[in-house]
Amino acid sequence: MSRAFMSIDILVQVVLSGLLLGGIYALVAFGLSLVYGVANILNIAHGTFLAISGVVASLIYGATGWHPLLIIPALVVPVFIFGYLFHAALLRPLASRGKHEETIGTVLITTGALIMLSDVAGVVAGTKQRNIPVRSEILEFGDIFVSVTQLWILAGIVALTIALHLYLKHAWFGRAVRAVTQDPLGAAICGVNASSARALTFAAGSGLVAVAGVLYAVVYPVDPYMGFSLTVRAFTIIIIGGIGNLAGTMVAGVMLGVAESLTAFYWAPKWAPVISVVLLLVILVVFPRGFGSWRRT
Amino acid sequence: MAADVTSKSATLIGAVAAAMALTALPLLVNAYIVSFVFALLIAFVIAQSWDWVNGLMGYLNLGHYAFYGIGGYAFALLLLQGTPLVPSFAAAVFFAALAAAVLSLPIFRLKGDYFAFATLTIVPLCELLASNLSGLTKGSEGVTLPPNYVLIPAYYIASALALATFATTLYLMRSRFGYAMRAIRNDEQVAEVSGIRLFPVKVITLALSAAFAGLAGAVQAWQFSFIDPYTMFNIGIALVPIASALLGGSGLLFGPLVGVVLLASLQQVLLVKLNMLQGAIYGLVIVLIGRFLPGGLLRWRAVADSAAFGSLSRESHFETPALQGGSRGDALPLRVEKIDRARVVLECRAATMAFGGNVAVREVSITIRQGEIVGLVGPNGSGKTTLFNLISGAYRPKSGKIFVDGFEISNFRADEIAGLGIGRTYQIPRPFGELTVRECIAVGRTFGRARASLFDAMQSAEVFARFVGLENRLETRADLLSLQEKKVLELARALACEPRLLLVDEVASGLSTVEVRKFVEHIREIRDRYGVTIIWVEHIFSALSQVVDRLVVLDGGSVIADAPLAEAMRDEKVLKTYLGHAPLEAK
Amino acid sequence: MSLLKVENLSVFHGPLQALWDVNLMVAAGERAGLLGANGAGKSTTLGAIVGYYPALGGRILFEGEDISREPVAARLARGIGLVPEGRRLFTAMSVHENLEMGAYLKAPRRQLADTLASVFALFPVLREKAAQPAGALSGGQQQMVAIGRALMGKPRLLLLDEPFIGVAPLIVKEVMAALTAIAAQGVTILLVEQNIHRALEFVEHASVVENGRTVLSGARAALADDKSFGARFLGLE
C-alpha cells in the first residue's frame, strides 16, 4: 500500500467527513426516534421525506439561488404541515384497530407513500442525482482540507441537537412528548392530549428530516429513490442509541457515519451501505427488544 | 353434511376447470395475453406463498421477495454454467429454502414491527450483495441467459406451480400443520402451552413459502432470460405481491388470488393508458388499502354479503361430520388416572423468578400429590400467576427446581411440559379468536398429551364443548363468545390437552353465582371422575371453599401458609396480610 | 349535593363488557371507598370517571353536570385527579419532572411553585429525591410521587386506585397519614381497595362492586356492623 493511503492526515480527513455524514444521519434518526417513540409509527417513508426535501431544495436553489439557510425555513414549514396532515388523515385512524391490522396498515400506508412520493418526484424533477452546489472556501490545516460550509453544517447540527435537547427537557410540550413516550396513560391523566401530541410529533419529525434533507443536498448528491436506505440507517441508529435518547442517537449516528466513511475509503464505497443493514440485523438478533433507554412494553 | 360435500366437490370442479382453462389458453389467444397471464401466475405464487407466513401464521414478512430473487439468481447462474434445466430449477428451490431456514434462526426472535422491519431490510441487503459480489453474480450488469423463446413452456410450468400453490393452501388450511400455524397466529404462548412446538412450524412454513417464491423467481428468470439486482430485489416492486394479498384479503383461500388479479389488471391498464406516474397511482392504491381495507376487499361487508362474491369471502374452517351415535355419551374421552394419594405429581423446590430487581416468586417450595385440589391464593402481585408461568414453562426459574413425577422440568419448553400432561387456563381468556370453538378445543386435543388425529380431535371436541355447555356454539368463532363462554372455553381447551395436572387461573371473577357453582362442579368432576390433579388460583373464597383440600397462600412471592382450608383461614399471618390487620369478626 | 354521581355506568373493553351497572355517589369533602374483588371493575370505573375509558351507557355527573362525553383534559380541568393502578410514572424522568407534569394544564401551571412546595411538605422524602429518576425509587416512594403528581393538578376530587400495592407495611402508614392530611385540606377522596379492613379504617362511606355492578353501599358504621358484609365481600359464606 502506498504511504498516502495509510497516512494519519488522510485518516483524519476520512473521519472528518464521516463525522459530517454521521451528524446528518443523526438528524434523520432524531425525527424517526420521535415519531416511533411517541406516535409508535415505524415510518418506512421517513428517509424518502429526506430525499424529496433534498431534491426540492436543490430545485429551489437552481431556480432562485437562495442561500440554503433561506431554503430551510421555506421547506420546513410545508413539510411540517404535510407531516401533520399525513398523520391526521392516514395514520391516526389506524389506532382504533387491532395490533396486527395496525402494523399492516402502517406498513402499507408508509410504503405506499414511499412509492408514490418517489415516483412523483422522479417525474417532476427527473431521476438524476442533483445537489446544492454552494461555493465554499477551503481551510487547510497542514495536509487536511476542510470546507467552511461543512464546518458550518457541523456547527448547525450540534446547535440544533442542543436546542432540541433543551426543548424536550424544559419546554412543557417537549416534556409532554417524553411523557407520552414513557407512559401514554400516565401522560393522559396529566392532561396531555396524546392524539394531538402524536400528530405534532409526526409533523416535527418530518420537519427535522426536511432540515436534514437540505443539509444533505449541500454535501452529497440526492435523488428521489435514495430514501429507503436512509430509513434503514436511521432505524439502525435509534436501535443502537435508544429510542428517545438524543445523546445516544447522536453518538450512534456519528459512529455509523465514520464507519461508512472508513469502509468507503479503505475498502470500497459499494460496501458502505451494507454496514447499517448488517449491523441492524445483528443488533436485533442479539437484543430482540433493542437496547439503550427503552420504552416500557 | 351435504353442504360440505357440495363445497368440496365445487372446489374440485373449480380446480379441474382452472387447470383445463390454463392448459387450453395458449392455443386460443396471442402471446401478449399469454405473457400477461404468465405474469399473473408468477405474482399469484409469490403473493399466496407470502400469505402462508402472514395470513396463516401471523408473521408480517416484508422480505419475501428476496426469496424470489435468490431463486432467480441461483437458477440463472447455474444454467449459465451449463447445468441442465431441471437441476437448475431444483437448485432455485433449494437455495431459497436454505436462505429461509438460515434466516429463521435469528428473525423469529423478533415480533410485530421489529419482525416486519428486519425482514424488509433483507431485500436491500440482497440487492447490495448481488451488486457487490460481482465475481459471483456479475454485479449490477445482471445475468443474461442465452436468448431462447420459452414463453409457452415457462407458462406451463408457472401454471403447474400456481395450481400447486393453491393446492398447498387448501391443504394447509385443513391440515394439522395448518392448525398449528393458525394457533401461532392467534396466540403464540397459548399455542405452545397447548403442546405445539413452535420453532419447527415457523421454520418449515418460512422455508416452504421461500421454496415456492424461489421457483417462481427461477421460472421468471428463464422466461425473461435476463435478471439484475434491481429487478430481482427492488424495494418498490418487493411489496407489490404483499399489497396484492392484503388487497384481496390475507388469510382467506381466495384472498391473494383476487388481489393479484385486480392489482395486476390495474397495472396493465395503467401501462396502456399512462406513460408516467404509474408508480404514483400504484402507491396510492397501496395507501388506500392500508387506510380503508385493513382486512382486504373480500372482508369488506359489501363484498362479503353479496350473492355473487360472498362465497369467495368465506373463512376456511374444518368441516366435521357429526359424531356417530356410539360416541355420543357424556363421558370425556380422557384416560382415567387411578388416584394414588401418595404419589407426588408436582414439586417445586425453592423456585425463584425475578424480573430485573423485582423478585416475583421467592424460593417457593410446594408439593402437590395426585388427586388433590389445591387452592392458591394471595393478594394482587403476590406471584400466583408467575408461579403458574414457571410450572407451565412460560418462564424458566432463575433458581430452584421444578419436578413433575420426579423428573426435573425446570428447563423444559412449554410444549414439552404440556406433553407431560400439565394443562393451564388463563385468567383473562385467551382463545384462538379466529378459530371456531370446535377448532380451539381440537387444537388442544391434537397437539396436547392426547395427540389425537385432527379428524378425531375435531369430532371429540364436541364432547368437551358439551361438558362446559358450549355445544350450541361449536361453529362460532371464539372471539365472538361472551366473557363467560370464553372462560369455560379455556377450561375445555385445557382439558382437551388431557392434563394430569390442571392449573386453573382465576375463573370465578366475572361469573355469576350460579355460573361459579357450575364451575365448581366441573372442577370436582374433573378430579373425581378422571383423576386430574388441580391447582386453582382464585380470589373468591366461597368458590374455593366448596372444593379445595388445601390452601397455599402466597405473599410477596413467598409461601406464607400451606394448610387445609379451615386451618389456613385461622392463620394469623394469612389474615393479616391477606385480609387486613384484624381477623374477621363476622360469624 | 353530591360532588360525584355515577349512574348506571356501562363500559366496554373492545368487544367485552367490563361494567354493566355501576352506581356511585360521593359527597363533597367525603372520604369514600370503592371496594370489590379482583376484576370486579373498580379500576375500570375510575378510568371511566376520568375519561380514559369511554362510557357506553349511563351518566357521570360532576357537580351536577354530565361529564361523561368530555375528553380527559376537560375533566381534569374541572378538578378530578387520578392516582392510577400501577402508578404509571414517567420512570426515566426525574421526580421533579414527574411532579411538574402533574401541573400540565393551564390553571395548575400558574400555581406550580406553591403546589410543589405543599407536595414536598406532605412527602419530605420527595424533596431529597427530586433529581433522581422516578424509576429508581422504592415502591412506596413511587406511590408518593404518583399521589403528588395527581395533587399537582389541584384536584377537588382525588381518585386513588389501590395505592398500597407494592408498598412496604411501614410506608403504608405514612401514605395513609398523608391521605388523611389531604382529606383534611378539603379534598374529596375516592379510594379503591381490595383490603376491606384497611379501607374501612379510612373511608366514611363505601360502595362494593361485584362483576361490574354495584351490589352494596353504605356508611362505614353500617358496613362494619353488617355481619354479612365481610362475608359477602370475600364471598365467605
Side-chain angles (χ1 to χ4, degrees), chain B residues 356-373:
Chain B
N358 176 22
V359 183
V361 167
R362 191 187 304 271
E363 302 199 359
V364 166
S365 296
I366 50 172
T367 302
I368 309 290
R369 288 171 202 286
Q370 197 180 25
E372 276 192 301
I373 301 181

Side-chain angles (χ1 to χ4, degrees), chain B residues 484-495:
Chain B
Q484 285 76 3
E485 290 173 321
K486 282 181 183 163
K487 286 198 166 190
V488 292
L489 175 58
E490 279 288 309
L491 182 67
R493 180 194 48 73
L495 268 184

Side-chain angles (χ1 to χ4, degrees), chain A residues 168-170 172-173 175-176 178-180 182-193 296, chain C residues 50 52 72-73 76 82 84 88-93 97 100-105 109 112 149:
Chain A
L168 287 173
K169 180 91 183 147
H170 296 294
W172 280 100
F173 186 71
R175 283 186 181 180
R178 282 196 294 149
V180 173
Q182 289 173 34
D183 195 317
L185 191 151
I189 58 166
C190 290
V192 178
N193 182 339
R296 294 204 314 194
Chain C
V50 82
Y52 200 75
V72 180
L76 299 177
L82 172 66
R88 313 309 292 254
L89 298 181
F90 313 118
T91 47
M93 286 160 74
E97 287 175 317
E100 289 196 347
M101 274 308 293
Y104 185 75
L105 291 175
R109 208 183 279 187
L112 194 143
R149 185 179 67 181

